[in-house]
Amino acid sequence: MILALYLIAIYQRLLELSQQMLRFAVEGEWDDLTKKEVDYVSAVQRLA
């Protein structure tokens, strides 16, 4: 059960990061997008 909650939390974080990255892309905020990509990759690595 704890593992499931951990995985759900990571996927929720990935959703938040994806939404932020989309907003940055739409607004043309490329520097902010690049910085957020680092956080996204870090969260994905926690799934491995």
Side-chain angles (χ1 to χ4, degrees), residues 13-46:
R13 181 68 179 142
L14 288 172
L15 174 61
E16 293 169 5
L17 291 167
S18 296
Q19 290 170 336
Q20 292 172 358
M21 289 168 60
L22 175 60
R23 188 180 80 244
F24 289 143
V26 168
E27 295 173 357
E29 300 292 337
W30 306 115
D31 290 337
D32 291 332
L33 174 62
T34 303
K35 292 174 188 173
K36 199 56 67 176
E37 284 177 332
V38 173
D39 296 335
Y40 185 89
V41 169
S42 176
V44 168
Q45 288 176 336
R46 282 186 250 144

PDB file of all heavy atoms in Angstrom, residues 13-46:
ATOM      1  N   ARG A  13       2.877  14.443  -9.264  1.00  0.00           N
ATOM      2  CA  ARG A  13       3.919  15.461  -9.468  1.00  0.00           C
ATOM      3  C   ARG A  13       4.252  15.611 -10.944  1.00  0.00           C
ATOM      4  O   ARG A  13       4.419  16.727 -11.444  1.00  0.00           O
ATOM      5  CB  ARG A  13       5.172  15.082  -8.660  1.00  0.00           C
ATOM      6  CG  ARG A  13       6.288  16.067  -8.792  1.00  0.00           C
ATOM      7  CD  ARG A  13       5.958  17.389  -8.132  1.00  0.00           C
ATOM      8  NE  ARG A  13       7.091  18.292  -8.271  1.00  0.00           N
ATOM      9  CZ  ARG A  13       6.975  19.586  -8.487  1.00  0.00           C
ATOM     10  NH1 ARG A  13       5.790  20.162  -8.545  1.00  0.00           N
ATOM     11  NH2 ARG A  13       8.050  20.342  -8.616  1.00  0.00           N
ATOM     12  N   LEU A  14       4.312  14.477 -11.648  1.00  0.00           N
ATOM     13  CA  LEU A  14       4.573  14.530 -13.093  1.00  0.00           C
ATOM     14  C   LEU A  14       3.463  15.282 -13.820  1.00  0.00           C
ATOM     15  O   LEU A  14       3.735  16.047 -14.755  1.00  0.00           O
ATOM     16  CB  LEU A  14       4.730  13.126 -13.660  1.00  0.00           C
ATOM     17  CG  LEU A  14       6.021  12.400 -13.286  1.00  0.00           C
ATOM     18  CD1 LEU A  14       5.972  10.947 -13.747  1.00  0.00           C
ATOM     19  CD2 LEU A  14       7.226  13.106 -13.869  1.00  0.00           C
ATOM     20  N   LEU A  15       2.234  15.080 -13.400  1.00  0.00           N
ATOM     21  CA  LEU A  15       1.117  15.811 -14.004  1.00  0.00           C
ATOM     22  C   LEU A  15       1.265  17.308 -13.774  1.00  0.00           C
ATOM     23  O   LEU A  15       1.124  18.104 -14.711  1.00  0.00           O
ATOM     24  CB  LEU A  15      -0.214  15.310 -13.442  1.00  0.00           C
ATOM     25  CG  LEU A  15      -1.454  16.075 -13.873  1.00  0.00           C
ATOM     26  CD1 LEU A  15      -1.634  16.010 -15.391  1.00  0.00           C
ATOM     27  CD2 LEU A  15      -2.685  15.550 -13.159  1.00  0.00           C
ATOM     28  N   GLU A  16       1.571  17.689 -12.549  1.00  0.00           N
ATOM     29  CA  GLU A  16       1.763  19.112 -12.242  1.00  0.00           C
ATOM     30  C   GLU A  16       2.892  19.715 -13.077  1.00  0.00           C
ATOM     31  O   GLU A  16       2.740  20.816 -13.637  1.00  0.00           O
ATOM     32  CB  GLU A  16       2.091  19.285 -10.756  1.00  0.00           C
ATOM     33  CG  GLU A  16       0.971  18.932  -9.821  1.00  0.00           C
ATOM     34  CD  GLU A  16       1.437  18.875  -8.368  1.00  0.00           C
ATOM     35  OE1 GLU A  16       2.619  19.206  -8.084  1.00  0.00           O
ATOM     36  OE2 GLU A  16       0.628  18.475  -7.520  1.00  0.00           O
ATOM     37  N   LEU A  17       3.990  18.993 -13.141  1.00  0.00           N
ATOM     38  CA  LEU A  17       5.132  19.489 -13.910  1.00  0.00           C
ATOM     39  C   LEU A  17       4.795  19.594 -15.394  1.00  0.00           C
ATOM     40  O   LEU A  17       5.171  20.567 -16.049  1.00  0.00           O
ATOM     41  CB  LEU A  17       6.343  18.581 -13.697  1.00  0.00           C
ATOM     42  CG  LEU A  17       6.963  18.628 -12.301  1.00  0.00           C
ATOM     43  CD1 LEU A  17       7.941  17.475 -12.107  1.00  0.00           C
ATOM     44  CD2 LEU A  17       7.635  19.958 -12.043  1.00  0.00           C
ATOM     45  N   SER A  18       4.086  18.616 -15.923  1.00  0.00           N
ATOM     46  CA  SER A  18       3.685  18.640 -17.336  1.00  0.00           C
ATOM     47  C   SER A  18       2.802  19.845 -17.630  1.00  0.00           C
ATOM     48  O   SER A  18       2.963  20.508 -18.659  1.00  0.00           O
ATOM     49  CB  SER A  18       2.933  17.362 -17.707  1.00  0.00           C
ATOM     50  OG  SER A  18       3.762  16.243 -17.592  1.00  0.00           O
ATOM     51  N   GLN A  19       1.880  20.120 -16.735  1.00  0.00           N
ATOM     52  CA  GLN A  19       0.993  21.265 -16.925  1.00  0.00           C
ATOM     53  C   GLN A  19       1.775  22.574 -16.891  1.00  0.00           C
ATOM     54  O   GLN A  19       1.527  23.480 -17.692  1.00  0.00           O
ATOM     55  CB  GLN A  19      -0.108  21.254 -15.860  1.00  0.00           C
ATOM     56  CG  GLN A  19      -1.091  20.131 -16.057  1.00  0.00           C
ATOM     57  CD  GLN A  19      -2.043  19.960 -14.885  1.00  0.00           C
ATOM     58  OE1 GLN A  19      -1.756  20.342 -13.757  1.00  0.00           O
ATOM     59  NE2 GLN A  19      -3.196  19.357 -15.156  1.00  0.00           N
ATOM     60  N   GLN A  20       2.725  22.666 -15.966  1.00  0.00           N
ATOM     61  CA  GLN A  20       3.557  23.869 -15.891  1.00  0.00           C
ATOM     62  C   GLN A  20       4.401  24.013 -17.153  1.00  0.00           C
ATOM     63  O   GLN A  20       4.535  25.120 -17.697  1.00  0.00           O
ATOM     64  CB  GLN A  20       4.454  23.810 -14.659  1.00  0.00           C
ATOM     65  CG  GLN A  20       3.709  23.918 -13.358  1.00  0.00           C
ATOM     66  CD  GLN A  20       4.595  23.664 -12.150  1.00  0.00           C
ATOM     67  OE1 GLN A  20       5.775  23.360 -12.275  1.00  0.00           O
ATOM     68  NE2 GLN A  20       4.025  23.784 -10.961  1.00  0.00           N
ATOM     69  N   MET A  21       4.962  22.910 -17.620  1.00  0.00           N
ATOM     70  CA  MET A  21       5.785  22.952 -18.823  1.00  0.00           C
ATOM     71  C   MET A  21       4.961  23.366 -20.029  1.00  0.00           C
ATOM     72  O   MET A  21       5.426  24.154 -20.870  1.00  0.00           O
ATOM     73  CB  MET A  21       6.434  21.585 -19.046  1.00  0.00           C
ATOM     74  CG  MET A  21       7.515  21.263 -18.037  1.00  0.00           C
ATOM     75  SD  MET A  21       8.066  19.544 -18.046  1.00  0.00           S
ATOM     76  CE  MET A  21       8.667  19.375 -19.710  1.00  0.00           C
ATOM     77  N   LEU A  22       3.746  22.872 -20.139  1.00  0.00           N
ATOM     78  CA  LEU A  22       2.863  23.269 -21.237  1.00  0.00           C
ATOM     79  C   LEU A  22       2.583  24.763 -21.188  1.00  0.00           C
ATOM     80  O   LEU A  22       2.649  25.453 -22.204  1.00  0.00           O
ATOM     81  CB  LEU A  22       1.565  22.468 -21.191  1.00  0.00           C
ATOM     82  CG  LEU A  22       0.505  22.854 -22.210  1.00  0.00           C
ATOM     83  CD1 LEU A  22       1.028  22.681 -23.641  1.00  0.00           C
ATOM     84  CD2 LEU A  22      -0.761  22.038 -21.996  1.00  0.00           C
ATOM     85  N   ARG A  23       2.291  25.261 -19.985  1.00  0.00           N
ATOM     86  CA  ARG A  23       2.021  26.690 -19.842  1.00  0.00           C
ATOM     87  C   ARG A  23       3.235  27.518 -20.258  1.00  0.00           C
ATOM     88  O   ARG A  23       3.109  28.514 -20.981  1.00  0.00           O
ATOM     89  CB  ARG A  23       1.614  27.012 -18.396  1.00  0.00           C
ATOM     90  CG  ARG A  23       1.129  28.449 -18.237  1.00  0.00           C
ATOM     91  CD  ARG A  23       0.730  28.787 -16.816  1.00  0.00           C
ATOM     92  NE  ARG A  23       1.938  29.059 -16.040  1.00  0.00           N
ATOM     93  CZ  ARG A  23       2.367  28.349 -15.010  1.00  0.00           C
ATOM     94  NH1 ARG A  23       1.703  27.310 -14.599  1.00  0.00           N
ATOM     95  NH2 ARG A  23       3.472  28.684 -14.374  1.00  0.00           N
ATOM     96  N   PHE A  24       4.415  27.109 -19.835  1.00  0.00           N
ATOM     97  CA  PHE A  24       5.633  27.832 -20.212  1.00  0.00           C
ATOM     98  C   PHE A  24       5.830  27.810 -21.725  1.00  0.00           C
ATOM     99  O   PHE A  24       6.217  28.813 -22.319  1.00  0.00           O
ATOM    100  CB  PHE A  24       6.861  27.247 -19.521  1.00  0.00           C
ATOM    101  CG  PHE A  24       6.933  27.526 -18.040  1.00  0.00           C
ATOM    102  CD1 PHE A  24       7.430  26.575 -17.167  1.00  0.00           C
ATOM    103  CD2 PHE A  24       6.511  28.734 -17.509  1.00  0.00           C
ATOM    104  CE1 PHE A  24       7.516  26.825 -15.804  1.00  0.00           C
ATOM    105  CE2 PHE A  24       6.591  29.003 -16.151  1.00  0.00           C
ATOM    106  CZ  PHE A  24       7.094  28.037 -15.292  1.00  0.00           C
ATOM    107  N   ALA A  25       5.566  26.665 -22.352  1.00  0.00           N
ATOM    108  CA  ALA A  25       5.725  26.563 -23.805  1.00  0.00           C
ATOM    109  C   ALA A  25       4.744  27.481 -24.530  1.00  0.00           C
ATOM    110  O   ALA A  25       5.115  28.182 -25.470  1.00  0.00           O
ATOM    111  CB  ALA A  25       5.540  25.122 -24.254  1.00  0.00           C
ATOM    112  N   VAL A  26       3.501  27.477 -24.087  1.00  0.00           N
ATOM    113  CA  VAL A  26       2.476  28.315 -24.720  1.00  0.00           C
ATOM    114  C   VAL A  26       2.838  29.796 -24.584  1.00  0.00           C
ATOM    115  O   VAL A  26       2.648  30.579 -25.515  1.00  0.00           O
ATOM    116  CB  VAL A  26       1.085  28.029 -24.104  1.00  0.00           C
ATOM    117  CG1 VAL A  26       0.067  29.064 -24.506  1.00  0.00           C
ATOM    118  CG2 VAL A  26       0.617  26.628 -24.500  1.00  0.00           C
ATOM    119  N   GLU A  27       3.383  30.151 -23.419  1.00  0.00           N
ATOM    120  CA  GLU A  27       3.728  31.547 -23.155  1.00  0.00           C
ATOM    121  C   GLU A  27       5.105  31.935 -23.715  1.00  0.00           C
ATOM    122  O   GLU A  27       5.504  33.098 -23.626  1.00  0.00           O
ATOM    123  CB  GLU A  27       3.692  31.802 -21.645  1.00  0.00           C
ATOM    124  CG  GLU A  27       2.299  31.662 -21.052  1.00  0.00           C
ATOM    125  CD  GLU A  27       2.277  31.748 -19.542  1.00  0.00           C
ATOM    126  OE1 GLU A  27       3.360  31.856 -18.917  1.00  0.00           O
ATOM    127  OE2 GLU A  27       1.175  31.703 -18.977  1.00  0.00           O
ATOM    128  N   GLY A  28       5.821  30.956 -24.286  1.00  0.00           N
ATOM    129  CA  GLY A  28       7.136  31.247 -24.842  1.00  0.00           C
ATOM    130  C   GLY A  28       8.205  31.474 -23.794  1.00  0.00           C
ATOM    131  O   GLY A  28       9.224  32.112 -24.071  1.00  0.00           O
ATOM    132  N   GLU A  29       7.996  30.951 -22.611  1.00  0.00           N
ATOM    133  CA  GLU A  29       8.957  31.092 -21.501  1.00  0.00           C
ATOM    134  C   GLU A  29       9.947  29.925 -21.561  1.00  0.00           C
ATOM    135  O   GLU A  29       9.898  28.988 -20.764  1.00  0.00           O
ATOM    136  CB  GLU A  29       8.219  31.122 -20.161  1.00  0.00           C
ATOM    137  CG  GLU A  29       7.238  32.259 -20.017  1.00  0.00           C
ATOM    138  CD  GLU A  29       7.915  33.611 -19.938  1.00  0.00           C
ATOM    139  OE1 GLU A  29       9.105  33.680 -19.556  1.00  0.00           O
ATOM    140  OE2 GLU A  29       7.260  34.621 -20.267  1.00  0.00           O
ATOM    141  N   TRP A  30      10.867  29.992 -22.506  1.00  0.00           N
ATOM    142  CA  TRP A  30      11.736  28.859 -22.793  1.00  0.00           C
ATOM    143  C   TRP A  30      12.741  28.584 -21.686  1.00  0.00           C
ATOM    144  O   TRP A  30      13.048  27.419 -21.406  1.00  0.00           O
ATOM    145  CB  TRP A  30      12.428  29.066 -24.132  1.00  0.00           C
ATOM    146  CG  TRP A  30      11.419  29.329 -25.207  1.00  0.00           C
ATOM    147  CD1 TRP A  30      11.270  30.477 -25.918  1.00  0.00           C
ATOM    148  CD2 TRP A  30      10.373  28.444 -25.654  1.00  0.00           C
ATOM    149  NE1 TRP A  30      10.203  30.359 -26.788  1.00  0.00           N
ATOM    150  CE2 TRP A  30       9.641  29.117 -26.645  1.00  0.00           C
ATOM    151  CE3 TRP A  30       9.982  27.152 -25.309  1.00  0.00           C
ATOM    152  CZ2 TRP A  30       8.550  28.549 -27.299  1.00  0.00           C
ATOM    153  CZ3 TRP A  30       8.893  26.580 -25.959  1.00  0.00           C
ATOM    154  CH2 TRP A  30       8.198  27.280 -26.943  1.00  0.00           C
ATOM    155  N   ASP A  31      13.242  29.611 -21.038  1.00  0.00           N
ATOM    156  CA  ASP A  31      14.189  29.394 -19.939  1.00  0.00           C
ATOM    157  C   ASP A  31      13.504  28.673 -18.775  1.00  0.00           C
ATOM    158  O   ASP A  31      14.057  27.737 -18.195  1.00  0.00           O
ATOM    159  CB  ASP A  31      14.784  30.715 -19.455  1.00  0.00           C
ATOM    160  CG  ASP A  31      15.731  31.331 -20.465  1.00  0.00           C
ATOM    161  OD1 ASP A  31      16.278  30.589 -21.310  1.00  0.00           O
ATOM    162  OD2 ASP A  31      15.919  32.562 -20.418  1.00  0.00           O
ATOM    163  N   ASP A  32      12.288  29.111 -18.449  1.00  0.00           N
ATOM    164  CA  ASP A  32      11.540  28.464 -17.373  1.00  0.00           C
ATOM    165  C   ASP A  32      11.184  27.027 -17.741  1.00  0.00           C
ATOM    166  O   ASP A  32      11.224  26.136 -16.891  1.00  0.00           O
ATOM    167  CB  ASP A  32      10.260  29.242 -17.056  1.00  0.00           C
ATOM    168  CG  ASP A  32      10.546  30.589 -16.411  1.00  0.00           C
ATOM    169  OD1 ASP A  32      11.597  30.710 -15.745  1.00  0.00           O
ATOM    170  OD2 ASP A  32       9.729  31.511 -16.562  1.00  0.00           O
ATOM    171  N   LEU A  33      10.843  26.811 -19.001  1.00  0.00           N
ATOM    172  CA  LEU A  33      10.530  25.461 -19.470  1.00  0.00           C
ATOM    173  C   LEU A  33      11.726  24.542 -19.303  1.00  0.00           C
ATOM    174  O   LEU A  33      11.602  23.422 -18.792  1.00  0.00           O
ATOM    175  CB  LEU A  33      10.081  25.488 -20.931  1.00  0.00           C
ATOM    176  CG  LEU A  33       9.856  24.130 -21.593  1.00  0.00           C
ATOM    177  CD1 LEU A  33       8.745  23.358 -20.906  1.00  0.00           C
ATOM    178  CD2 LEU A  33       9.552  24.311 -23.072  1.00  0.00           C
ATOM    179  N   THR A  34      12.892  25.013 -19.694  1.00  0.00           N
ATOM    180  CA  THR A  34      14.106  24.211 -19.589  1.00  0.00           C
ATOM    181  C   THR A  34      14.409  23.862 -18.133  1.00  0.00           C
ATOM    182  O   THR A  34      14.765  22.718 -17.817  1.00  0.00           O
ATOM    183  CB  THR A  34      15.294  24.963 -20.206  1.00  0.00           C
ATOM    184  OG1 THR A  34      14.989  25.281 -21.560  1.00  0.00           O
ATOM    185  CG2 THR A  34      16.555  24.142 -20.150  1.00  0.00           C
ATOM    186  N   LYS A  35      14.238  24.814 -17.234  1.00  0.00           N
ATOM    187  CA  LYS A  35      14.463  24.555 -15.811  1.00  0.00           C
ATOM    188  C   LYS A  35      13.477  23.521 -15.280  1.00  0.00           C
ATOM    189  O   LYS A  35      13.839  22.656 -14.479  1.00  0.00           O
ATOM    190  CB  LYS A  35      14.346  25.845 -15.015  1.00  0.00           C
ATOM    191  CG  LYS A  35      15.457  26.827 -15.294  1.00  0.00           C
ATOM    192  CD  LYS A  35      15.205  28.145 -14.591  1.00  0.00           C
ATOM    193  CE  LYS A  35      16.213  29.185 -15.021  1.00  0.00           C
ATOM    194  NZ  LYS A  35      15.893  30.510 -14.489  1.00  0.00           N
ATOM    195  N   LYS A  36      12.241  23.598 -15.722  1.00  0.00           N
ATOM    196  CA  LYS A  36      11.212  22.665 -15.255  1.00  0.00           C
ATOM    197  C   LYS A  36      11.449  21.266 -15.802  1.00  0.00           C
ATOM    198  O   LYS A  36      11.118  20.275 -15.153  1.00  0.00           O
ATOM    199  CB  LYS A  36       9.829  23.182 -15.665  1.00  0.00           C
ATOM    200  CG  LYS A  36       8.671  22.603 -14.915  1.00  0.00           C
ATOM    201  CD  LYS A  36       8.774  22.773 -13.413  1.00  0.00           C
ATOM    202  CE  LYS A  36       8.685  24.200 -12.967  1.00  0.00           C
ATOM    203  NZ  LYS A  36       8.681  24.350 -11.498  1.00  0.00           N
ATOM    204  N   GLU A  37      12.054  21.173 -16.977  1.00  0.00           N
ATOM    205  CA  GLU A  37      12.368  19.859 -17.557  1.00  0.00           C
ATOM    206  C   GLU A  37      13.317  19.076 -16.650  1.00  0.00           C
ATOM    207  O   GLU A  37      13.190  17.853 -16.542  1.00  0.00           O
ATOM    208  CB  GLU A  37      12.992  20.020 -18.939  1.00  0.00           C
ATOM    209  CG  GLU A  37      12.004  20.365 -20.017  1.00  0.00           C
ATOM    210  CD  GLU A  37      12.656  20.599 -21.370  1.00  0.00           C
ATOM    211  OE1 GLU A  37      13.832  21.003 -21.412  1.00  0.00           O
ATOM    212  OE2 GLU A  37      11.981  20.358 -22.371  1.00  0.00           O
ATOM    213  N   VAL A  38      14.221  19.769 -15.994  1.00  0.00           N
ATOM    214  CA  VAL A  38      15.150  19.110 -15.077  1.00  0.00           C
ATOM    215  C   VAL A  38      14.370  18.463 -13.934  1.00  0.00           C
ATOM    216  O   VAL A  38      14.625  17.310 -13.556  1.00  0.00           O
ATOM    217  CB  VAL A  38      16.193  20.112 -14.541  1.00  0.00           C
ATOM    218  CG1 VAL A  38      17.052  19.490 -13.455  1.00  0.00           C
ATOM    219  CG2 VAL A  38      17.046  20.641 -15.678  1.00  0.00           C
ATOM    220  N   ASP A  39      13.386  19.178 -13.392  1.00  0.00           N
ATOM    221  CA  ASP A  39      12.550  18.626 -12.319  1.00  0.00           C
ATOM    222  C   ASP A  39      11.748  17.427 -12.816  1.00  0.00           C
ATOM    223  O   ASP A  39      11.589  16.436 -12.110  1.00  0.00           O
ATOM    224  CB  ASP A  39      11.585  19.685 -11.790  1.00  0.00           C
ATOM    225  CG  ASP A  39      12.310  20.851 -11.144  1.00  0.00           C
ATOM    226  OD1 ASP A  39      13.459  20.679 -10.683  1.00  0.00           O
ATOM    227  OD2 ASP A  39      11.719  21.952 -11.098  1.00  0.00           O
ATOM    228  N   TYR A  40      11.260  17.530 -14.050  1.00  0.00           N
ATOM    229  CA  TYR A  40      10.463  16.447 -14.641  1.00  0.00           C
ATOM    230  C   TYR A  40      11.298  15.165 -14.785  1.00  0.00           C
ATOM    231  O   TYR A  40      10.867  14.088 -14.375  1.00  0.00           O
ATOM    232  CB  TYR A  40       9.896  16.887 -15.992  1.00  0.00           C
ATOM    233  CG  TYR A  40       8.968  15.881 -16.605  1.00  0.00           C
ATOM    234  CD1 TYR A  40       7.612  15.903 -16.328  1.00  0.00           C
ATOM    235  CD2 TYR A  40       9.440  14.892 -17.477  1.00  0.00           C
ATOM    236  CE1 TYR A  40       6.748  14.987 -16.886  1.00  0.00           C
ATOM    237  CE2 TYR A  40       8.578  13.958 -18.024  1.00  0.00           C
ATOM    238  CZ  TYR A  40       7.230  14.012 -17.733  1.00  0.00           C
ATOM    239  OH  TYR A  40       6.380  13.079 -18.275  1.00  0.00           O
ATOM    240  N   VAL A  41      12.490  15.316 -15.332  1.00  0.00           N
ATOM    241  CA  VAL A  41      13.362  14.152 -15.517  1.00  0.00           C
ATOM    242  C   VAL A  41      13.714  13.531 -14.164  1.00  0.00           C
ATOM    243  O   VAL A  41      13.739  12.305 -14.023  1.00  0.00           O
ATOM    244  CB  VAL A  41      14.629  14.544 -16.306  1.00  0.00           C
ATOM    245  CG1 VAL A  41      15.663  13.427 -16.274  1.00  0.00           C
ATOM    246  CG2 VAL A  41      14.269  14.899 -17.741  1.00  0.00           C
ATOM    247  N   SER A  42      13.942  14.357 -13.186  1.00  0.00           N
ATOM    248  CA  SER A  42      14.247  13.856 -11.841  1.00  0.00           C
ATOM    249  C   SER A  42      13.079  13.031 -11.293  1.00  0.00           C
ATOM    250  O   SER A  42      13.290  11.961 -10.705  1.00  0.00           O
ATOM    251  CB  SER A  42      14.549  15.034 -10.903  1.00  0.00           C
ATOM    252  OG  SER A  42      14.747  14.593  -9.597  1.00  0.00           O
ATOM    253  N   ALA A  43      11.865  13.514 -11.500  1.00  0.00           N
ATOM    254  CA  ALA A  43      10.689  12.778 -11.025  1.00  0.00           C
ATOM    255  C   ALA A  43      10.530  11.455 -11.782  1.00  0.00           C
ATOM    256  O   ALA A  43      10.192  10.430 -11.182  1.00  0.00           O
ATOM    257  CB  ALA A  43       9.439  13.637 -11.179  1.00  0.00           C
ATOM    258  N   VAL A  44      10.788  11.461 -13.067  1.00  0.00           N
ATOM    259  CA  VAL A  44      10.701  10.227 -13.860  1.00  0.00           C
ATOM    260  C   VAL A  44      11.733   9.214 -13.364  1.00  0.00           C
ATOM    261  O   VAL A  44      11.432   8.021 -13.258  1.00  0.00           O
ATOM    262  CB  VAL A  44      10.884  10.524 -15.367  1.00  0.00           C
ATOM    263  CG1 VAL A  44      11.077   9.225 -16.148  1.00  0.00           C
ATOM    264  CG2 VAL A  44       9.702  11.313 -15.905  1.00  0.00           C
ATOM    265  N   GLN A  45      12.909   9.679 -13.036  1.00  0.00           N
ATOM    266  CA  GLN A  45      13.963   8.780 -12.566  1.00  0.00           C
ATOM    267  C   GLN A  45      13.581   8.101 -11.246  1.00  0.00           C
ATOM    268  O   GLN A  45      14.007   6.991 -10.974  1.00  0.00           O
ATOM    269  CB  GLN A  45      15.282   9.521 -12.426  1.00  0.00           C
ATOM    270  CG  GLN A  45      15.903   9.878 -13.755  1.00  0.00           C
ATOM    271  CD  GLN A  45      17.161  10.696 -13.621  1.00  0.00           C
ATOM    272  OE1 GLN A  45      17.387  11.374 -12.625  1.00  0.00           O
ATOM    273  NE2 GLN A  45      17.991  10.651 -14.654  1.00  0.00           N
ATOM    274  N   ARG A  46      12.753   8.756 -10.445  1.00  0.00           N
ATOM    275  CA  ARG A  46      12.306   8.141  -9.198  1.00  0.00           C
ATOM    276  C   ARG A  46      11.394   6.946  -9.442  1.00  0.00           C
ATOM    277  O   ARG A  46      11.216   6.125  -8.551  1.00  0.00           O
ATOM    278  CB  ARG A  46      11.606   9.167  -8.315  1.00  0.00           C
ATOM    279  CG  ARG A  46      12.597  10.072  -7.617  1.00  0.00           C
ATOM    280  CD  ARG A  46      11.910  10.977  -6.647  1.00  0.00           C
ATOM    281  NE  ARG A  46      11.995  12.311  -7.211  1.00  0.00           N
ATOM    282  CZ  ARG A  46      11.072  13.243  -7.122  1.00  0.00           C
ATOM    283  NH1 ARG A  46       9.962  13.010  -6.487  1.00  0.00           N
ATOM    284  NH2 ARG A  46      11.247  14.416  -7.671  1.00  0.00           N
TER     285      ARG A  46
END
